[in-house]
Amino acid sequence: MLRLVENHSLPRTAAFFDLDKTVIAKSSTLTFSKSFYRGGLISRRAALRTAYIQFVFLAGGADHDQMERMREYLSALCKGWNVAQVKELVAETLHDLIDPIIYDEAASLIEEHHAAGRDVVIVSTSGAEVVEPIGEMLGADRVVATRMVVGEDGCFTGEVEYYAYGPTKADAVRELAESEGYDLSRCYAYSDSATDVPMLEAVGHPYAVNPDRALRREAVAREWPVLSFEKPVRLKQRLPGFRMPPRPTLVAAAAVGAAAVGAGLVWYASRRRQAALAHRLTDGFARI
């Protein structure tokens, strides 16, 4: 394991972690599809289609075009969802769904960075309503995540306020560095995807974690270290005294997360064409 020793007389530093397939073994947003189905937010057909997207994401890695299709599909899917209900469903099922798929190696790195005096920042393309409670569970200091527009009725409009993807992740990292006083040349970043090359380039210590083929090529060409995370483990198995925060705490954390962790970030509007996802799930692939 890496030795991550911090000299506290030097400027502040941070470790920036992508979430999906870097800290956890699956897509955080798609993992909750069954909960959203049971909560009445999506139909069985939509749940099956979402399971198929999860399969594509895990099996082949998600390139730019696939990420765009996922964004468009999920944006359309969540239109009209009540935000409070989404947060409630996430809080109710967070322990059962996310805790078992956290990589032991990632949890150890987070602990080591904290021990070395660095802030830990989760930077994820998944939605804030999902990512912020996960960040709370992991002990992250800050979270950067995609945000959907919420109407006056408290429901998602289907439009994207801020899309934490590609270059916008790097912009958010630089903005945080300016507001928090991080020395990016001494900061760390971890990701599995070539779409996060801009974020990895922004720091002095980039790491490719379980990289897709494109990122592996970049890592080899740039002589970036490549890490292999293979062991999902429950946090309470790693830390015998660990206890999940009670559900009301998680709901409250999700409700105030934007104000608590969003200071200093520049938010970008993202409006792109609508596209249909023309995939069908074969019979018996997933059981809801």
Side-chain angles (χ1 to χ4, degrees), residues 90-230:
V90 170
E92 288 176 348
T93 56
L94 181 68
H95 182 271
D96 291 336
L97 295 179
I98 300 299
D99 193 16
I101 61 174
I102 296 169
Y103 283 121
D104 186 28
E105 299 92 340
S108 294
L109 266 179
I110 288 171
E111 291 169 358
E112 290 195 27
H113 281 298
H114 272 149
R118 299 185 187 91
D119 286 350
V120 170
V121 184
I122 303 296
V123 187
S124 176
T125 304
S126 293
E129 290 73 21
V130 168
V131 179
E132 286 170 2
I134 295 175
E136 169 96 356
M137 182 173 69
L138 292 168
D141 300 282
R142 290 171 181 79
V143 168
V144 178
T146 293
R147 298 188 182 278
M148 304 294 294
V149 176
V150 180
E152 294 182 359
D153 60 355
C155 297
F156 292 124
T157 67
E159 296 180 310
V160 179
E161 176 184 354
Y162 169 73
Y163 190 34
Y165 173 75
T168 62
K169 280 190 176 184
D171 292 340
V173 165
R174 284 188 285 266
E175 188 70 18
L176 269 178
E178 182 175 350
S179 64
E180 301 299 324
Y182 299 143
D183 178 356
L184 285 179
S185 69
R186 298 173 55 247
C187 287
Y188 294 71
Y190 303 85
S191 178
D192 70 292
S193 174
T195 60
D196 284 339
V197 165
M199 180 178 75
L200 295 172
E201 289 176 329
V203 302
H205 301 284
Y207 287 82
V209 176
N210 299 341
D212 58 28
R213 284 177 293 182
L215 179 57
R216 186 175 293 276
R217 287 195 299 269
E218 288 287 334
V220 170
R222 298 169 184 248
E223 299 184 342
W224 290 345
V226 175
L227 304 179
S228 179
F229 292 175
E230 300 176 347

Side-chain angles (χ1 to χ4, degrees), residues 4 21 37 45 55 84 86 89 98 104 108 116 158 207-208 219 221 250 260 270 274 276:
L4 307 169
K21 296 174 68 177
Y37 165 69
R45 178 182 177 85
F55 170 74
V86 171
L89 288 170
I98 300 299
D104 186 28
S108 294
Y207 287 82
L250 289 170
S270 178
Q274 295 297 312

